[in-house]
Amino acid sequence: MFTGIVTDIGTVLQTEQQGDLRARIGTSYDVGRIDIGASIACDGVCLTVVALGTQPQNWFDVQISAETVSKTNLAGWAPGKRVNLERALKVGDELGGHIVSGHVDGLAEVVAVRPEGGSVRVTFRAPEALAKFIAPKGSVALNGTSLTVNEVEGCDFGINFIPHTQVATTWGEVAVGDRVNLEIDTMARYVARLREWG
């Protein structure tokens, strides 16, 4: 379980196909405090740590199943790619964002980017099957970042990225055409299911 508050920007150091995709991610995390088998959200995808090291820098390895690759943007990972990282919640941690599972529902596409004061306004297009779960002033997780939706029109929705978010995450690099990992709000999913049942 996560909150969508990014705590490090990692860098993909290498990828290798070993049946499943295996990736090595450089991090500023103290890897001496990470256990093998720990969960780390990488661009919003909950992945399991399978190896750790400190040379030439701190790093951890994850294995990514074909199913996960097919549902996320991780197929595009290559050395040098920067990724949003978040360690799993511990009991007693502050819930600064919203409850995020790290289970990506689909991919959204960036369709517009424009400056707005010091912030950047980005319009995303959600898959039609997921658009009904996105509401104005509701929450979404995009590439592992907990964000508030500004407006919704059909399958398109807008997010405002303040300067802090642009620096503390990879959102300062956003461009039209990017495909991003989308996790809808868990509460929205249950509300929709209850309405269907009733």
Side-chain angles (χ1 to χ4, degrees), residues 102-169:
H103 302 155
V104 170
D105 294 295
L107 292 171
E109 182 183 356
V110 176
V111 294
V113 177
R114 65 180 168 85
E116 192 171 272
S119 299
V120 173
R121 177 64 62 98
V122 180
T123 303
F124 298 87
R125 182 159 296 145
E128 192 169 343
L130 298 177
K132 66 182 178 182
F133 297 103
I134 301 171
K137 305 310 174 193
S139 296
V140 292
L142 297 173
N143 279 355
T145 312
S146 174
L147 297 161
T148 302
V149 176
N150 287 328
E151 71 282 331
V152 178
E153 185 175 337
C155 292
D156 292 357
F157 63 98
I159 303 282
N160 192 61
F161 292 92
I162 62 172
H164 171 79
T165 303
Q166 295 172 55
V167 171
T169 70

Side-chain angles (χ1 to χ4, degrees), residues 25-98:
I25 300 172
T27 181
S28 64
Y29 290 148
D30 177 358
V31 295
R33 299 173 62 94
I34 299 174
D35 294 328
I36 299 295
S39 294
I40 298 179
C42 305
D43 266 356
V45 183
C46 178
L47 298 173
T48 301
V49 173
V50 298
L52 298 158
T54 58
Q55 296 298 324
Q57 67 179 98
N58 288 356
W59 57 265
F60 62 91
D61 281 2
V62 292
Q63 288 174 316
I64 308 160
S65 71
E67 170 70 11
T68 299
V69 169
S70 74
K71 296 289 190 289
T72 66
N73 64 10
L74 274 56
W77 275 11
K81 167 76 173 167
R82 289 168 23 105
V83 295
N84 294 320
L85 301 178
E86 181 187 358
R87 301 278 314 269
L89 273 173
K90 297 187 189 106
V91 174
D93 282 353
E94 180 179 334
L95 288 174
H98 71 283

